[in-house]
Amino acid sequence: MSMFCFQCQEAAGGKGCTVKGVCGKTDVVARDQDLLIYALKALAWAAGKAADSGVQVSREVGRFVHYGLFTTITNANFDSAIFENAVTKALELRDGLLDEARSAGWDGNGAPVAVTWKPASTAEYSVKAASVGVLATENEDVRSLRELITYGLKGLAAYAEHAEKLGQEDDALYAFTMKALAATLDDSLSADDLVALTLETGEKGVTAMALLDGANTSAYGNPEITEVNIGVGTRPGILVSGHDLRDLKELLEQSKDAGIDIYTHSEMLPAHYYPELKAYPHLKGNYGSSWWHQREEFAAFNGPILLTTNCIVPPREKDNYLDRFFTTGAAGFPGAKVIANRSTPEAPKDFSAIIEMAKSCPAPTELETGSIVGGFAHAQVIGLADKVVDAVKSGAIKRFFVMAGCDGRQKDRNYYTDFAKALPQDTVILTAGCAKYRYNKLPLGDIGGIPRVLDAGQCNDSYSLAVIALKLKEVFALEDINELPISYNIAWYEQKAVIVLLALLFLGVKDIHLGPTLPAFLSPNVAKVLVETFGIAGIGSVEDDVKAFMSA
Ligand code: SF4
Ligand code: SF3
C-alpha cells in the first residue's frame, strides 16, 4: 500500500485508494495531503493553546487553515509543490503561536506528537507523511468519526473561503474549525464526544453556507429565474469552471471589450442566475455538462479553460488542452498555467494572460443547442410562495424531492436520471450542485408554470433548499420539518457534500437517502448510529425507491 485515501464516493472498491487515486491523485500527492492535514491539526492545536493563554490569534491563521483544508478536497489540487509550501507555512505558524503561548505563561506541557514534531529539513516530510494518514488512528470507529469531522471541515472551509474572498468572514467559524481539528488529535475524547462534535460541525456548516449565501447575494444580487443558453456563438471563448464567483466577475469585467465570450462549465452554471453577472452580454452560456466530462468537453472547447476550484480531472499528455489549462486559488495542477492570487484582498486578479490567449483561439465546437432554466434560490422561490403553496394545497404538487449534491462518473449514477424520469408528474425536484446534470436537460415539463426541476445553484446553495423548506414549514404551520411533503435523495461525491449532509442533519432532516453508495469512511458502528438516529439510508432500485418515497 503506497497511500490510503477514502474521502470520496469513488474510493477504489468502495473501500479506499491504496496505489493511486481513482481521481488521478498520485501516492506522492496523497501523502503530501496527509502531511498537510497533520500539520493543520498541529497548527489548530497551537492556536487553541495560544488563545487559552490569552494570545490574540490573528485571522491570518484561520484563513490559512481554511485555504489548506480546501486544497485537499477531492480533485481540487494535484500539485505537490503547493502542499510542501503549505506544510512549511503551517509549521511556521504553529511554532510562532507556541512561542507566543509560552511567553504568555503556557508551561509547554500536554502537546500531542503532531505539535512537537520538528523536521530538520523538508526532506523529512516524505518520511513523516507515510506514517500520519488516516490509518494512523487504529480504532475504526474513532477513525471514522475523526474523518467524518475532517471531511465536513473541508467542505465548510471551502464555503467560508469563498465568502472571505467576497469580504465576509466570521471569526467564530475559524475558531470552530480549529477547535474541531485539534479535537481529532485528542485521544481522550469518546465516540459520543466525537458524535456531538460531528453535529456541531453540521451546525457550523449551516453558518458557513449562510455566510456564503449572504456574500454572493450582497455582491451579485439574488438569483432569479434565468434561461441559460447551452449552445455556442461564433467568437472565441474562455470556459470557467469551479465555484468561485468573484473570479468569474473579475474575468467578465476585464474581458468585456476583448471580442471574446465567457462560458461556464459544471458548477459555474449558476453564475448566470445572478443579476450582476448575467448583466454582462458576453457571459454567453453554459458549455457541456458536469465535471467528469472535462476531457472531451475541454478538448472541444478550443479556447482556454479556467479552473477556479474543484473538480479537476487531471489532463493527460495526449489531451490537447494542457497548454490552455489555467488554475487559480486553491485549485492546482502541475504544468497548468496559474492566475496569481490577489496581491491585496481588494485588488482584482490579473486575467490578461488568459484573455490574450483566448483571442487567438477558434470558437468553441458546438456540443448541443437550446437552453436550460434555473435560478430558484430562496428569494426567488419565496417570491413564488403563493403559487407553490396553492399548488400543494390543490394537490397539483404532491411531493418535492431534494436531489442536491454531486455528479460522478460511475455507471450506477444513471439511477438519478432514471429516478427523475420515473417520478410521477405531480412531483417537483429541488436541486443544487452538479448532481443536476443527471436530469436538467430532460423534458420533465412543468406544473402550472412551475418547472419540475428547480435549480437553486451550486452545492452550497443547498442552503437555499433548507431555507425554502423552513419557509414552507412556517406557511403550513407545521411543528417539524419532516412533516413536509419533501423527500431527500442526495448524491454525493466529494467533501462539500459531506458538510451539506451534516448541515441537513443538524437542521433536523430525517430519512435522507444517500447514494450511489454510502461513504467508505463510515465504520459499521458509525453507519449504524446514522441509520438509527437520523434514518439515513442508501438507494435501492428506482422502482422500489419511488414507490417507498411516494407512500412516505
Ligand atoms: Fe480515491 Fe477519492 Fe481519495 Fe481520490 S479523493 S484518492 S478517488 S478516495
Ligand atoms: Fe460538483 Fe465537484 Fe460536488 Fe459542488 S463540482 S458539487 S462534485
Side-chain angles (χ1 to χ4, degrees):
M1 197 190 287
S2 56
M3 60 177 275
F4 185 79
C5 179
F6 62 174
Q7 69 173 350
C8 85
Q9 191 273 326
E10 293 190 353
K15 290 196 156 54
C17 299
T18 57
V19 182
K20 187 178 192 232
V22 173
C23 59
K25 179 160 85 177
T26 62
D27 54 354
V28 175
V29 172
R31 287 183 173 192
D32 288 343
Q33 292 186 352
D34 288 346
L35 188 61
L36 177 56
I37 293 295
Y38 184 72
L40 291 173
K41 288 177 176 179
L43 170 56
W45 190 93
K49 188 53 68 184
D52 290 348
S53 311
V55 173
Q56 177 76 33
V57 178
S58 81
R59 270 191 174 174
E60 252 344 284
V61 175
R63 286 176 187 154
F64 176 73
V65 170
H66 278 179
Y67 160 80
L69 288 169
F70 193 176
T71 60
T72 69
I73 280 187
T74 300
N75 280 345
N77 201 309
F78 295 84
D79 192 342
S80 254
I82 298 280
F83 295 109
E84 199 163 290
N85 287 338
V87 170
T88 304
K89 180 159 179 192
L91 296 178
E92 279 169 13
L93 289 170
R94 175 197 70 177
D95 293 343
L97 286 166
L98 292 177
D99 287 345
E100 285 190 75
R102 275 191 209 94
S103 308
W106 173 49
D107 61 9
N109 290 329
V113 185
V115 181
T116 52
W117 176 57
K118 291 231 180 296
S121 71
T122 53
E124 289 180 26
Y125 286 3
S126 56
V127 179
K128 186 71 181 173
S131 66
V132 298
V134 295
L135 298 179
T137 301
E138 277 168 21
N139 179 302
E140 69 166 356
D141 298 327
V142 174
R143 182 197 304 151
S144 177
L145 289 165
R146 284 179 174 176
E147 295 312 310
L148 177 56
I149 291 164
T150 305
Y151 303 153
L153 292 174
K154 291 185 184 196
L156 180 159
Y159 294 152
E161 219 240 11
H162 288 309
E164 179 223 320
K165 296 291 178 256
L166 291 166
Q168 304 283 337
E169 291 178 90
D170 180 346
D171 289 320
L173 280 179
Y174 294 136
F176 174 75
T177 300
M178 292 203 265
K179 175 186 100 166
L181 270 183
T184 65
L185 291 175
D186 186 347
D187 291 331
S188 73
L189 296 181
S190 66
D192 283 348
D193 294 333
L194 292 172
V195 169
L197 189 59
T198 306
L199 273 191
E200 197 183 347
T201 307
E203 176 184 4
K204 296 302 187 294
V206 176
T207 309
M209 283 188 261
L211 185 73
L212 179 53
D213 180 73
N216 285 337
T217 54
S218 58
Y220 308 124
N222 272 303
E224 51 193 35
I225 302 175
T226 306
E227 197 172 330
V228 181
N229 165 35
I230 56 174
V232 296
T234 53
R235 305 199 298 181
I238 297 174
L239 186 56
V240 188
S241 195
H243 305 65
D244 195 305
L245 296 182
R246 182 167 171 198
D247 286 341
L248 179 73
K249 161 77 184 178
E250 289 173 358
L251 174 63
L252 285 167
E253 184 59 30
Q254 291 171 36
S255 60
K256 64 185 180 193
D257 301 317
I260 61 167
D261 289 323
I262 306 295
Y263 292 82
T264 55
H265 188 260
S266 193
E267 275 287 71
M268 200 51 92
L269 157 65
H272 294 272
Y273 312 154
Y274 288 87
E276 296 274 322
L277 300 175
K278 70 183 198 180
Y280 288 90
H282 70 305
L283 181 60
K284 187 78 183 169
N286 189 67
Y287 189 77
S289 186
S290 65
W291 66 272
W292 61 275
H293 299 88
Q294 270 170 43
R295 284 181 176 152
E296 303 76 50
E297 293 173 358
F298 289 1
F301 185 73
N302 303 327
I305 297 129
L306 174 66
L307 265 293
T308 64
T309 66
N310 58 316
C311 280
I312 296 175
V313 177
R316 299 158 301 186
E317 286 293 321
K318 65 177 181 189
D319 291 319
N320 71 359
Y321 58 86
L322 185 54
D323 63 338
R324 46 187 172 89
F325 193 76
F326 290 70
T327 61
T328 190
F333 183 76
K337 296 179 171 58
V338 176
I339 303 289
N341 287 328
R342 296 179 180 89
S343 51
T344 66
E346 297 75 33
K349 291 183 182 177
D350 176 3
F351 290 100
S352 54
I354 193 168
I355 294 168
E356 270 319 298
M357 180 185 282
K359 287 179 184 167
S360 58
C361 290
T365 305
E366 183 180 279
L367 299 177
E368 56 196 337
T369 56
S371 62
I372 44 184
V373 176
F376 297 91
H378 57 88
Q380 178 67 82
V381 175
I382 289 168
L384 296 171
D386 291 348
K387 214 171 165 182
V388 174
V389 169
D390 286 349
V392 174
K393 284 189 176 153
S394 73
I397 296 179
K398 283 258 160 42
R399 184 159 280 276
F400 296 92
F401 284 83
V402 170
M403 291 178 70
C406 312
D407 195 15
R409 62 201 127 196
Q410 286 171 338
K411 274 232 156 46
D412 49 7
R413 288 193 186 248
N414 288 338
Y415 165 92
Y416 294 101
T417 309
D418 296 339
F419 185 88
K421 284 185 191 162
L423 281 174
Q425 290 298 318
D426 52 9
T427 58
V428 169
I429 296 171
L430 304 173
T431 192
C434 64
K436 65 171 82 64
Y437 286 97
R438 288 282 167 179
Y439 40 80
N440 68 347
K441 295 172 188 171
L442 298 176
L444 295 178
D446 64 284
I447 298 175
I450 302 168
R452 289 197 50 235
V453 178
L454 301 182
D455 177 22
Q458 298 178 335
C459 46
N460 43 291
D461 295 309
S462 299
Y463 169 76
S464 256
L465 303 181
V467 171
I468 292 166
L470 291 169
K471 182 75 192 169
L472 289 175
K473 175 183 152 222
E474 186 190 312
V475 173
F476 289 109
L478 300 173
E479 289 284 306
D480 184 336
I481 200 168
N482 295 295
E483 291 169 30
L484 286 166
I486 304 181
S487 299
Y488 294 78
N489 194 3
I490 288 181
W492 82 286
Y493 169 57
E494 34 81 355
Q495 298 76 49
K496 291 175 172 180
V498 175
I499 195 61
V500 169
L501 175 71
L502 296 181
L504 291 175
L505 296 184
F506 167 74
L507 291 171
V509 176
K510 295 257 169 27
D511 302 329
I512 296 173
H513 287 241
L514 187 65
T517 53
L518 291 180
F521 55 81
L522 295 181
S523 68
N525 285 331
V526 172
K528 197 161 162 255
V529 171
L530 292 180
V531 170
E532 286 173 0
T533 319
F534 302 104
I536 296 245
I539 58 171
S541 75
V542 168
E543 208 189 358
D544 291 350
D545 286 358
V546 171
K547 211 183 284 167
F549 279 122
M550 290 307 291
S551 59

